[in-house]
Amino acid sequence: MTHAFLDLPPLSAAHFASIEDRVARLLGTGQDVVIMQGEALLPLEGAIRSAAGPGTVALNVVTGPYGQTFGNWLRDCGATVIDLAVPFHTAVTAEQIREAFTEHPEIDFVSLVHAEAATGNTNPVAEIGEVVRSHGALFYLDAVASIGAEPVLPDAWGVDLCVIGAQKAMGGPAGVSAVSVSERAWARMAANPGAPRRSYLSLLDWKERWVDGGRKALLHAPAQLEMLALEACVERIEAVGLDAVMARHASAAAATRAGAVALGGGLEPYVYEASEAAPVATTLRAPAGVVASELVARALESDPTLPLAAGGGALAKEMIRVNHYGVDATAAVVQGCLAALGAALAEKGLTVDPEGARQAVEDGTRRMT
């Protein structure tokens, strides 16, 4: 008995390399791109541990939980870490980065999350990149949530290590991820005695055995199904056009924001400025006296498939997240989420306007298309 998923011929090195090339074109980069065989936390951690060590002075920007994680990894590596934390309802600015360099000119590594899906903000990477580049620091960027939802341009922005994953706006698999690596980053890794070697976290293993070897022999058996799913995902984006995919996410975000305001009941956007809100997910602040996680749980009883979630940790009391990414970046999904939240708010005795919300979503979507 055969099975379409289980009885495929082995994925060749040439096929693997061709998928890397397509990912590189998606990023518009001439840098080396390595597809790693695991969820995006693999290259996110691997890149930090490869490029940072006891001599590193890192500016770690914290606009959400992933920034906090990166700071922990950097400290584990022995780096001196300067955390630049901003409130989760806003974004960091290039001027704040510039001020950090003025206070600490020894900074030689900057870590930043582009879009924090967990908190709903997005950071101005192009402007920040100019500042980082002018000081000669290595620039590490988590673009896992932003790729496919907004522009990600590592070469134009001077990003040395740009990590992406396909499971959010790209609408692809979670089991593989990728990182683009500049020549400066490879050199930093090679000079780092603490960089992982002979390890699943090692980027240098991929550099020496895969990239420098002409991409002729893979390090180990690839995650075949995930690689094929990634290829299909990129093919779909190529067929529709990356600009169209990004426009769909921007439309869903604008519609969610407008619809939540029109719905009322005390809901309001968590990120104050629309220009600082991520197109991959919209976060909302729960009304006073309402626990966000309880409201979300009640809303999901009507339809468990809705992409609704409460904030993580302490944010579970106040933050609601509408994850309008991938196939869920549509007006219909946004309408469903707001209708369910409206019904849950009405049960608590709050005044809501579901028809107003519906109209606001329609109007917001129409303006963006």
Side-chain angles (χ1 to χ4, degrees), residues 61-262:
V61 181
V62 181
T63 56
Y66 280 98
Q68 294 169 334
T69 297
F70 300 160
N72 292 336
W73 287 340
L74 286 160
R75 290 182 178 90
D76 286 347
C77 294
T80 299
V81 181
I82 300 155
D83 284 322
L84 172 55
V86 302
F88 291 173
H89 63 255
T90 187
V92 72
T93 66
E95 184 56 36
Q96 288 173 301
I97 303 294
R98 188 175 291 107
E99 290 170 0
F101 273 108
T102 299
E103 291 181 28
H104 304 278
E106 68 276 19
I107 291 169
D108 63 358
F109 185 99
V110 175
S111 52
L112 175 71
V113 178
H114 187 184
E116 284 269 13
T119 48
N121 53 39
T122 192
N123 292 301
V125 183
E127 292 87 347
I128 291 169
E130 289 184 15
V131 178
V132 175
R133 199 161 50 240
S134 69
H135 287 84
L138 206 72
F139 193 10
Y140 163 101
L141 182 70
D142 171 357
V144 174
S146 53
I147 183 66
E150 55 188 306
V152 176
L153 302 168
D155 291 11
W157 297 343
V159 178
D160 296 287
L161 292 159
C162 182
V163 177
I164 66 168
Q167 70 267 33
K168 288 189 166 62
M170 288 177 64
V176 288
S177 47
V179 54
S180 65
V181 187
S182 72
E183 288 300 323
R184 291 196 327 140
W186 283 132
R188 179 78 70 96
M189 294 179 205
N192 179 12
R197 305 302 298 271
R198 297 168 296 282
S199 163
Y200 209 57
L201 286 171
S202 178
L203 281 169
L204 282 175
D205 288 354
W206 282 95
K207 165 68 169 169
E208 294 176 0
R209 296 170 56 190
W210 173 246
V211 177
D212 291 348
R215 300 192 297 177
K216 302 296 185 185
L218 289 160
L219 276 64
H220 46 72
Q224 174 150 302
L225 293 178
E226 287 83 357
M227 288 296 294
L228 294 175
L230 176 61
E231 181 178 43
C233 161
V234 176
E235 284 178 350
R236 184 166 61 182
I237 293 172
E238 290 171 347
V240 175
L242 179 58
D243 287 345
V245 175
M246 291 191 294
R248 184 162 55 83
H249 284 82
S251 177
T256 304
R257 206 171 166 89
V261 171

Side-chain angles (χ1 to χ4, degrees), residues 19 22 32 36 55 87 110 147 183 247 254 260 262-263 313 338 359 366:
I19 300 171
R22 294 176 88 156
D32 292 325
M36 300 193 75
V110 175
I147 183 66
E183 288 300 323
L263 180 64
L338 293 178
Q359 190 61 54
R366 193 179 302 115

Side-chain angles (χ1 to χ4, degrees), residues 258-267 337-339 341-343 345 351-357 360:
V261 171
L263 180 64
L267 276 186
C337 289
L338 293 178
L341 288 171
L345 288 166
T351 301
V352 293
D353 183 2
E355 177 55 27

Side-chain angles (χ1 to χ4, degrees), residues 278-303:
V280 71
T282 297
T283 48
L284 304 171
R285 191 178 299 275
V290 175
V291 177
S293 58
E294 295 176 0
L295 187 69
V296 168
R298 185 69 186 97
L300 287 174
E301 287 180 13
S302 64
D303 184 355

